[in-house]
Amino acid sequence: MDTRMQNQAAVVVLWLAGLSILGLLAVFLGYILYRGLPVLSLDFVLGKSSDILAGGGVGAQLFNSFYMLALSLGLSIPVALGAGIYLAEYAKETKLTKCIRLSVESLATVPSIVLGLFGMILFVNVLGLGFSILGGVLTLVLLNLPLLVRVTEEAIRTVPKSYREASLALGATKLQTITRVILPKALPGILTGITLTAGRALGETAILIFTAGTTVSRHRFDFDVMAGGETLAVHLWYLMSTGLVPDRDIIADGIGALLLLIILAFNMVLLLSVRFWQRRAG
């Protein structure tokens, strides 16, 4: 077999592999949407859940999911940006820097259930926060930080060195170069990391079971951080493990489709944001 035939055979194999992955993804997503879309309605999305009676909704769980996501990202992003900028722009290759990178990478490999148990011991028991939104948020911060720090550092390092040299040559300070030149160019990569982190946090279950609990407030939209913090993913797990409602399978199908649509919406927002900033930078 000559070189051209080998190249064509390799292209065919790669195309088949890619189409197989797309086919599996289409079947997976199609099945979830087929089962869950008929369940979705305004009453289901905004209604109150029920522990015994059929026909409950997921309004409080949906609110908790976004509320805890916003709080956890609000605490994680400033710290991660600062750490990523320090590691990429200021830190020298010392033992301290190596220790920080090792700590970040080690924290990223910790299983989520271990973080959940740690959060339960520290935030729920030692600090006395109980099963609350605040306890879940603080534990989610531990989950978000490693990925955000690594993504921020790598996105900043991808900015060409000539940008820094040109900015400094024009008389800009180090801080001005970072805030006005480097960060705008690195923003698409940072947005990608934030979106991936948000999707992971939305679907997290093990951490929140041990810290935020499996109950919700009596009020549909409760901003009290000490209230119960059951999310959509936790509610799905609870229904299929110990739920007593007779239509738990139907509710689970609806939650699965709702989570899928939310994650797809996040990806669309990511795509539009990245294109916007690329055009602006261009």
Side-chain angles (χ1 to χ4, degrees):
M1 183 181 295
D2 58 9
T3 305
R4 175 179 290 183
M5 293 295 294
Q6 291 178 356
N7 183 65
Q8 291 178 348
V11 171
V12 171
V13 171
L14 293 175
W15 268 102
L16 290 176
L19 292 176
S20 300
I21 294 174
L22 288 177
L24 289 174
L25 181 62
V27 171
F28 174 72
L29 298 181
Y31 179 76
I32 293 177
L33 294 177
Y34 171 76
R35 294 286 301 270
L37 284 180
V39 183
L40 298 182
S41 64
L42 192 62
D43 292 335
F44 177 80
V45 174
L46 299 179
K48 292 184 178 181
S49 60
S50 175
D51 294 330
I52 300 176
L53 301 177
V58 292
Q61 288 80 3
L62 179 62
F63 171 77
N64 283 345
S65 298
F66 282 103
Y67 187 41
M68 295 177 67
L69 176 64
L71 290 178
S72 62
L73 290 180
L75 294 175
S76 303
I77 290 176
V79 178
L81 282 176
I85 292 172
Y86 168 77
L87 291 173
E89 295 294 326
Y90 290 97
K92 299 179 180 179
E93 288 300 324
T94 61
K95 292 183 178 180
L96 177 61
T97 306
K98 294 179 180 179
C99 181
I100 293 175
R101 287 198 175 95
L102 178 61
S103 300
V104 171
E105 294 173 358
S106 300
L107 188 60
T109 59
V110 174
S112 59
I113 191 170
V114 175
L115 287 177
L117 293 172
F118 173 79
M120 182 182 68
I121 294 172
L122 178 61
F123 302 123
V124 177
N125 296 331
V126 176
L127 298 181
L129 299 179
F131 293 104
S132 61
I133 290 176
L134 182 58
V137 166
L138 293 176
T139 313
L140 279 179
V141 170
L142 300 179
L143 178 72
N144 296 340
L145 277 176
L147 178 59
L148 289 176
V149 171
R150 294 299 297 165
V151 168
T152 302
E153 181 184 0
E154 293 302 323
I156 292 174
R157 289 186 180 276
T158 58
V159 179
K161 189 176 181 181
S162 58
Y163 283 67
R164 300 171 175 82
E165 295 173 348
S167 177
L168 295 173
L170 291 173
T173 63
K174 181 77 170 179
L175 181 60
Q176 291 174 333
T177 301
I178 292 173
T179 56
R180 299 183 182 181
V181 178
I182 297 176
L183 285 182
K185 293 296 294 183
L187 192 58
I190 296 174
L191 287 176
T192 302
I194 292 174
T195 305
L196 293 175
T197 303
R200 183 184 180 187
L202 275 175
E204 185 57 47
T205 305
I207 283 179
L208 300 179
I209 291 173
F210 293 106
T211 56
T214 57
T215 60
V216 292
S217 173
R218 294 177 298 173
H219 306 287
R220 185 174 302 176
F221 307 114
D222 194 349
F223 289 91
D224 183 9
V225 294
M226 301 307 296
E230 185 184 44
T231 61
L232 285 173
V234 174
H235 190 53
L236 176 61
W237 168 84
Y238 178 76
L239 284 174
M240 300 310 295
S241 59
T242 60
L244 300 177
V245 290
D247 60 342
R248 66 176 189 175
D249 292 335
I250 298 176
I251 298 176
D253 292 336
I255 293 175
L258 184 59
L259 280 172
L260 183 58
L261 292 176
I262 292 172
I263 293 174
L264 290 176
F266 268 105
N267 290 332
M268 288 299 298
V269 171
L270 164 67
L271 179 62
L272 295 176
S273 301
V274 170
R275 287 186 176 181
F276 171 76
W277 283 107
Q278 286 177 342
R279 289 179 181 179
R280 184 174 179 179

